[in-house]
Amino acid sequence: KRTGLTMDELGKLKTLIGKIPYADYVYCMCYLGFRPSEALNLTLQSYNRKEKYFIGGSKTDAGRDRIVPVAPQIQKYIDALTRNKVGGYVFCGPDGGKFNIRRFREDYFTNVIRALGINDDEREKRLLTPHCCRHTFANLLKGAKGADKNKLAIIGHTSDEMLRDYQDADIEGLREIVNSFQ
């Protein structure tokens, strides 16, 4: 079963920004919740600079053209990626154009995961690919305040069951349950 990054790994990922190429992209993807191809397709035209949100998504009716506000944790990175740009892609490839998803996964994402201290065997066991960023986002939604309807809208799902499929059980959440016993 594919998993997301743990909260410890997400924290460590933030420390890699500026040290490992495209760690900022991976970090932003964890807080945006778009599928990898959707994230790499985001353009300046899909970003509302004033209101600080993206309109994007493509796979399903629920996921298409959804509004995804930029989380405070990544706003400065999004600002840096969009500063002084008048068009084009937000998450650009090395040549400044559209990033090829396969190249992103094989040439950069894997290096970011290795820099987190996750070896290739563990990466394969956990199925850590760029899509795990969407799973990380789903895990962040578990502890987020807000109506379930809005959580489903932001990730682009129509059912709680599908959202739960993206979420991992974790020791903190499990402990919270048993610690609440009367």
Side-chain angles (χ1 to χ4, degrees):
K1 180 171 174 20
R2 183 182 311 277
T3 66
L5 298 176
T6 67
M7 293 305 107
D8 286 342
E9 290 165 345
L10 189 59
K12 187 173 182 183
L13 174 58
K14 185 178 180 181
T15 70
L16 298 177
I17 296 172
K19 299 173 187 167
I20 304 295
Y22 300 103
D24 55 340
Y25 285 26
V26 176
Y27 190 69
C28 287
M29 290 168 71
C30 289
Y31 280 95
L32 288 171
F34 287 108
R35 292 169 185 87
S37 60
E38 294 171 340
L40 296 178
N41 280 328
L42 292 171
T43 64
L44 249 9
Q45 289 70 29
S46 61
Y47 181 55
N48 184 313
R49 291 180 199 234
K50 181 180 178 190
E51 298 296 327
K52 309 292 188 196
Y53 66 80
F54 285 99
I55 295 179
S58 59
K59 187 174 177 184
T60 64
D61 286 343
R64 195 173 342 253
D65 296 327
R66 64 187 185 276
I67 295 174
V68 178
V70 174
Q73 292 86 340
I74 63 167
Q75 187 63 64
K76 72 179 184 178
Y77 306 112
I78 298 299
D79 289 345
L81 290 167
T82 59
R83 187 174 295 119
N84 300 325
K85 285 187 178 178
V86 293
Y89 294 94
V90 174
F91 300 103
C92 299
D95 64 355
K98 184 176 179 178
F99 219 131
N100 175 285
I101 184 67
R102 173 181 260 160
R103 182 159 189 223
F104 178 74
R105 180 181 62 245
E106 294 173 1
D107 295 348
Y108 302 104
F109 181 83
T110 299
N111 289 336
V112 171
I113 295 300
R114 287 177 181 144
L116 288 173
I118 299 171
N119 65 39
D120 289 344
D121 287 341
E122 183 179 354
R123 179 177 52 84
E124 289 178 23
K125 179 182 173 190
R126 291 173 56 191
L127 299 174
L128 294 176
T129 67
H131 199 78
C132 79
C133 298
R134 187 163 162 80
H135 287 258
T136 304
F137 181 78
N139 289 331
L140 291 168
L141 286 177
K142 282 195 295 189
K145 294 179 182 177
D148 289 344
K149 179 179 180 179
N150 290 336
K151 289 180 183 183
L152 290 170
I154 202 168
I155 199 166
H157 288 158
T158 55
S159 73
D160 293 336
E161 181 181 329
M162 186 62 171
L163 180 58
R164 281 192 303 275
D165 186 57
Y166 270 80
Q167 296 173 331
D168 304 330
D170 59 77
I171 189 64
E172 295 86 11
L174 298 172
R175 190 174 315 286
E176 183 180 331
I177 290 168
V178 298
N179 287 347
S180 70
F181 291 162
Q182 299 290 327

